[in-house]
Amino acid sequence: MKHLFNKLKTPFKLSLVMFVICGLIYPTLMTGLSQVIFPHQANGSLIEMDGKVIGSELVGQDFTDERLFHCRPSAVNYNTFTQNEKESNEQVLPSSGSENLASSNPKLEKRINDDVEEFLQENPTVKREDIPADIITASGSGLDPHISVDAANVQIDRVSKNAHISKDVLKKLIKDYTENKLLGVFGEEKVNVLQLNLSLIREIKQG
């Protein structure tokens, strides 16, 4: 028994030391450093309006108001739900992800066709062939807060008409909230829809 205890003593001590280092010291150190160096990002990149948190830069929202810019379709509906769904316990539970439907799947084809028709109804000045692909395709996470610059520009006519704001002002807002390529090389230019809509709401209120 003593021999067995001696054999287990070393791995037990090692496990205890690693637990303290990896489970306590390291997380505490990283949390402290992140709060000091990147407090905004460490706390969820939250966005406030009039002193109230209304979202995060990292998570999209389901905008339906015709005066605002709309996001991409979401397989999880950005985890939003109506009051009726909440009361009946039918709300979407927190999750992310796509439906992972094959390109040959009839369900995917129907979903895209329905979204195209809905987009054309909302934006009657846009031709079918001019619809940017990303505005009718869901992101892999289902929570993407960004759309392409083209996807924002193609909504200008609708937003201008319903919000009673000039197209030049809308173009400037889009430019102001366009994020450049990473290091000027990787990825594509994109627009954060929540931040763009917040600036648009301020314009509407001022008008």
Side-chain angles (χ1 to χ4, degrees), residues 85-137:
E85 289 173 332
K86 181 178 180 180
E87 292 174 353
S88 61
N89 292 322
E90 295 178 356
Q91 69 266 31
V92 178
L93 297 177
S95 63
S96 66
S98 66
E99 294 178 308
N100 284 329
L101 300 176
S103 57
S104 58
N105 192 307
K107 183 179 178 181
L108 176 62
E109 183 178 359
K110 181 180 184 305
R111 200 275 298 161
I112 290 179
N113 288 334
D114 289 345
D115 284 341
V116 167
E117 292 304 321
E118 181 180 356
F119 186 87
L120 291 174
Q121 290 179 7
E122 294 176 347
N123 304 272
T125 62
V126 179
K127 297 179 181 179
R128 182 182 296 266
E129 59 269 22
D130 294 332
I131 301 177
D134 68 293
I135 201 63
I136 57 170
T137 56

Side-chain angles (χ1 to χ4, degrees), residues 38-56:
F38 305 109
H40 178 65
Q41 293 86 340
N43 290 293
S45 299
L46 301 179
I47 298 176
E48 294 186 2
M49 186 175 187
D50 299 327
K52 182 180 179 181
V53 175
I54 48 82
S56 167

Side-chain angles (χ1 to χ4, degrees), residues 128-194:
R128 182 182 296 266
E129 59 269 22
D130 294 332
I131 301 177
D134 68 293
I135 201 63
I136 57 170
T137 56
S139 65
S141 68
L143 304 177
D144 191 354
H146 299 97
I147 57 176
S148 66
V149 177
D150 288 341
N153 286 328
V154 81
Q155 300 182 61
I156 285 179
D157 285 349
R158 169 181 58 79
V159 174
S160 177
K161 176 183 177 181
N162 292 290
H164 305 292
I165 294 178
S166 72
K167 296 179 182 179
D168 288 338
V169 170
L170 294 177
K171 289 178 181 178
K172 183 179 184 305
L173 291 179
I174 292 173
K175 183 178 180 180
D176 289 343
Y177 290 95
T178 295
E179 300 177 12
N180 296 322
K181 298 179 181 180
L182 180 62
L183 301 178
V185 177
F186 302 105
E188 299 294 334
E189 291 185 338
K190 55 188 181 293
V191 181
N192 189 296
V193 183
L194 176 57

Side-chain angles (χ1 to χ4, degrees), residues 51-64:
K52 182 180 179 181
V53 175
I54 48 82
S56 167
E57 296 176 11
L58 309 176
V59 180
Q61 296 189 21
D62 185 26
F63 295 102
T64 57

